[in-house]
Amino acid sequence: QVQLVESGGGLVQAGGSLRLSCAASGRTFSNYAMAWFRQAPGKEREFVAGISWHGFSKYYGDSVKGRFTISRDNLKNTLFLQMNSLKPEDTAVYYCAAGQPSYYSGSYPRTEKTYNYWGQGTQVTVSS
């Protein structure tokens, strides 16, 4: 089993920055594609960013491209999301996800079914 534990959420003013972390534990190794999704009340879960197991391929949702950066530290089995220039529209619960797809390209990084394991979510609130 794989367990994902998120941290770093909180309250921040618009224009500020926040860094989320997701630590993997249990029977894990570095060969996982990982991603961040978010969900606001009453809305569907939205893809934020994804990264291949080796870190060479990165994908971003249109609403966060240029502001957010996804990265990973495979030695520590930890995923990060650096969020800059935050907007009130970024307010949501952010979820970490991991999976082992045969391929990580095309539509696969953006689909929830690609990921078998999910974290508990961490609240990010951006005030105006």
Side-chain angles (χ1 to χ4, degrees):
Q1 61 184 38
V2 176
Q3 299 173 15
L4 304 175
V5 180
E6 297 140 306
S7 61
L11 175 65
V12 64
Q13 293 284 334
S17 298
L18 209 59
R19 191 192 195 198
L20 305 183
S21 299
C22 172
S25 62
R27 301 185 183 276
T28 64
F29 59 99
S30 63
N31 193 23
Y32 283 89
M34 302 189 74
W36 292 96
F37 288 77
R38 67 187 184 185
Q39 187 170 27
K43 298 179 63 178
E44 295 292 321
R45 199 187 306 270
E46 176 189 20
F47 172 77
V48 177
I51 187 169
S52 58
W53 71 268
H54 47 62
F56 290 154
S57 299
K58 298 179 180 180
Y59 304 86
Y60 295 95
D62 291 340
S63 63
V64 306
K65 188 175 183 179
R67 299 188 297 120
F68 291 9
T69 302
I70 189 170
S71 62
R72 64 190 298 163
D73 184 342
N74 286 346
L75 293 178
K76 299 180 179 179
N77 290 321
T78 303
L79 177 73
F80 303 98
L81 183 68
Q82 179 66 48
M83 305 185 294
N84 298 326
S85 302
L86 283 162
K87 305 175 181 179
E89 302 84 73
D90 296 318
T91 296
V93 177
Y94 284 70
Y95 297 91
C96 173
Q100 292 184 287
S102 298
Y103 299 94
Y104 198 66
S105 61
S107 63
Y108 289 96
R110 301 175 180 270
T111 60
E112 297 178 28
K113 293 182 178 180
T114 296
Y115 310 98
N116 302 113
Y117 303 97
W118 294 78
Q120 80 287 350
T122 185
Q123 177 71 46
V124 172
T125 302
V126 184
S127 62
S128 60

